[in-house]
Amino acid sequence: MKPFEYARAATIEEALAAGAGGGRYIAGGTNLVDLMKLQVETPEKLVDISRLALDSVEQTADGGVRIGALVPNSDLAAHPLIRVQYPMLSRALLAGASAQLRNKASVAGNLLQRTRCYYFYETAAACNKREPGSGCDAIGGFNRIHAVLGTSASCIATHPSDMAVALRALDAVVVTALPEGRERRIALGELYRLPGDTPEIETNLKPGEMIVAIALPVPPPGRQLYRKVRDRASYAFALVSVAAAVAVEDGVISSARLAFGGLAPMPWRSAEVEAALAGRPAGTEAFEAAADALLSEARGYGHNDFKIVLARRTLIACLRDLTA
């Protein structure tokens, strides 16, 4: 690990002032510290925000919920408001990492964690995300865990978060603080960027901008589900995951919200998938149409070809369970 400067912030204003010069914010550090040990990331300054008063979960006047950026993943999963109103989020959190990591990892850190692509972690390998312009060894390499949607010729890495997939289906909004003293609200779908030619730029956050909360609107109608398919149940990242809320009235799907993990460089949500379900009888024909819409532009890279079939089967199984 390379030497770095360390500052501990007592207020949001102190944190923003310290981070404005290129400092990296750190709370639980469950991902960033590992990357620093491997010298995948070598920040010159860390700003410790773990003492800030951003660790509450509160119901808002409109019936939604505001989640502080520093709420530990384990606390959020167990919170009564989340378990009752947003069960897909609770289940997604419990499906992520180990109990020890969930106790330490923060909500904001979960959103901003880096890919688990083997080549990103191996500094001797070519990785455009780690070293722009060096190439992508995952393309043509061992790419079993890699993306089949939203990829580019520069990068086929997946986003690793389970929590972010559920938040995408729930229409979450990221609340941030900017160095100039104002607040910004970003729809979760607008927080992340597809790799394109610049896979090293993963979010639309501005320099020094800090996540302070996540805002959830009122819960969606219908039943909720989060299902994660992985190599082992104890601790593994998703091969395919589905976060879904589906409402059925008189045998017809009245609304559907679906997001997917393990398939793309960001939590994936498609208006075409939801449109293929809304207003149609709950049955195999609608479910197959939704899978077709999801995977119409999917592309495998060899070892991960199986994900296309797995995603179809997982989506259809989830829809059957939700509409039974």
Side-chain angles (χ1 to χ4, degrees):
M1 184 181 291
K2 291 187 176 181
F4 57 90
E5 182 183 350
Y6 172 85
R8 179 180 294 172
T11 65
I12 292 176
E13 291 74 21
E14 283 185 14
L16 293 172
R24 292 289 303 278
Y25 301 119
I26 186 168
T30 56
N31 183 215
L32 179 57
V33 171
D34 285 344
L35 294 172
M36 291 173 65
K37 289 177 180 178
L38 295 170
Q39 295 192 23
V40 173
E41 293 209 34
T42 56
E44 295 183 358
K45 182 177 184 179
L46 291 185
V47 182
D48 185 347
I49 61 172
S50 61
R51 269 69 170 182
L52 302 186
L54 299 173
D55 57 354
S56 63
V57 180
E58 301 171 342
Q59 189 149 35
T60 55
D62 61 359
V65 170
R66 182 181 172 101
I67 302 164
L70 298 182
V71 175
N73 287 182
S74 54
D75 290 4
L76 185 61
H79 196 283
L81 279 174
I82 304 303
R83 292 179 62 190
V84 173
Q85 297 189 46
Y86 308 94
M88 74 162 76
L89 176 55
S90 179
R91 292 167 186 165
L93 285 159
L94 292 172
S98 64
Q100 294 91 335
L101 287 172
R102 292 196 300 270
N103 287 342
K104 191 69 174 174
S106 67
V107 167
N110 189 311
L111 290 179
L112 299 178
Q113 62 183 298
R114 308 295 301 276
T115 182
R116 266 41 177 204
C117 170
Y118 319 118
Y119 303 100
F120 174 72
Y121 274 76
E122 176 49 68
T123 55
C127 173
N128 290 316
K129 188 180 288 291
R130 188 187 66 252
E131 186 178 346
S134 64
C136 176
D137 276 349
I139 299 175
F142 184 60
N143 48 45
R144 184 173 183 274
I145 66 169
H146 289 71
V148 296
L149 293 169
T151 60
S152 74
S154 297
C155 184
I156 61 171
T158 54
H159 192 274
S161 174
D162 290 286
M163 181 191 77
V165 178
L167 290 176
R168 183 81 194 271
L170 292 169
D171 289 330
V173 173
V174 178
V175 184
T176 70
L178 290 156
E180 59 265 34
R182 65 183 180 88
E183 185 177 276
R184 187 159 77 114
R185 297 172 68 87
I186 312 167
L188 187 70
E190 300 299 319
L191 174 67
Y192 300 109
R193 294 166 53 108
L194 291 177
D197 296 329
T198 56
E200 73 278 10
I201 306 174
E202 297 176 346
T203 75
N204 286 310
L205 293 177
K206 299 177 181 179
E209 190 169 10
M210 183 176 70
I211 296 175
V212 296
I214 307 298
L216 290 177
V218 295
R223 299 171 63 188
Q224 296 181 28
L225 169 151
Y226 183 79
R227 183 165 297 170
K228 179 178 182 178
V229 181
R230 48 187 163 175
D231 285 324
R232 59 186 186 278
S234 59
Y235 179 13
F237 295 96
L239 298 172
V240 174
S241 65
V242 180
V246 177
V248 179
E249 298 178 10
D250 299 324
V252 175
I253 298 171
S254 56
S255 70
R257 297 188 194 177
L258 297 106
F260 304 88
L263 298 178
M266 61 191 293
W268 194 259
R269 188 171 174 184
S270 166
E272 289 77 11
V273 174
E274 296 171 5
L277 293 168
R280 299 185 64 174
T284 300
E285 185 176 344
F287 303 161
E288 291 282 0
D292 289 342
L294 172 66
L295 300 166
S296 62
E297 298 183 5
R299 175 191 173 186
Y301 291 84
H303 297 101
N304 68 346
D305 292 350
F306 75 97
K307 281 193 174 189
I308 298 173
V309 177
L310 181 61
R312 175 178 290 275
R313 292 177 176 173
T314 304
L315 172 58
I316 291 173
C318 290
L319 292 172
R320 284 176 176 159
D321 288 349
L322 284 168
T323 59

